[in-house]
Amino acid sequence: MTEYEWSRAMPAQPEQVFDQAANVGQLDAWLPRDLHVEAEEPPSVTVHEDRSGQDMAALLRARPDQMRLEWGTREQGSYTGWLQVSGIGSGASEVTVHLSFFDPGHDPGEEAVFNALDGSLRRLEEQVRMRVDNTAG
C-alpha cells in the first residue's frame, strides 16, 4: 500500500471550504482534470478516468459534522481517500487530502499524485474565493 498526503491553507471559514468541496455537482471544477464524478444514489458515484478510459463504481460520503469527505472504489478496492477541513484561526482553513493506493497498478506515482493534489487544492481555493467574493459583494 502506498499513501500520500497534501495540505493547503485557504482564506475562508472551514464551513465555506467544506461546502464547496462537498458539492458533488461541482467536483469537476477542482478534482484532477482527468477525473470526472457522476452522482448516483448517494453515496454511490461513478468515477471516469480519462487516462485509462475506465468508469469505476465508487462511494463518496460527506460528513458535515466532521467537515470530512471520504471516498473509495467499491468493487476493485484499489484506492481510498479523504479530505479534511480544519479551522486555523482568523477566518482561514487548512484542507488536507490523504490517498491510499492498495493496488500498485493503480498508483500513478509520487510526482503525478503530488502534482494532481497541488493542482486540485489550488482549484478548490479558486472556487472558494469566487464563492466568498460573490457572497461578500
Side-chain angles (χ1 to χ4, degrees):
M1 178 173 70
T2 307
E3 297 186 274
Y4 302 100
E5 195 166 286
W6 197 259
S7 296
R8 183 174 185 85
M10 301 204 181
Q13 295 290 336
E15 297 80 9
Q16 294 169 310
V17 175
F18 179 79
D19 287 348
Q20 186 65 44
N23 185 333
V24 177
Q26 294 185 0
L27 289 175
D28 282 359
W30 67 269
L31 284 177
R33 298 286 189 212
D34 64 342
L35 293 180
H36 310 282
V37 176
E38 183 178 317
E40 296 176 6
E41 184 68 33
S44 297
V45 295
T46 297
V47 178
H48 177 80
E49 183 179 31
D50 291 345
R51 182 173 55 101
S52 67
Q54 292 183 341
D55 288 337
M56 289 187 284
L59 298 173
L60 175 65
R61 288 189 178 91
R63 302 193 186 281
D65 57 323
Q66 299 172 12
M67 287 192 277
R68 184 178 178 95
L69 289 176
E70 299 171 344
W71 61 85
T73 51
R74 286 195 314 226
E75 286 94 25
Q76 300 92 344
S78 39
Y79 73 90
T80 63
W82 51 261
L83 176 147
Q84 180 72 53
V85 181
S86 305
I88 56 175
S90 301
S93 304
E94 181 178 64
V95 178
T96 300
V97 177
H98 183 96
L99 299 175
S100 299
F101 292 94
F102 303 105
D103 175 359
H106 198 73
D107 179 359
E110 185 174 331
E111 184 177 352
V113 170
F114 286 135
N115 286 338
L117 289 174
D118 184 55
S120 291
L121 291 179
R122 285 178 192 273
R123 286 188 298 280
L124 178 58
E125 181 180 2
E126 290 170 14
Q127 294 296 311
V128 169
R129 282 183 190 270
M130 288 190 308
R131 181 178 180 189
V132 169
D133 290 348
N134 286 339
T135 302

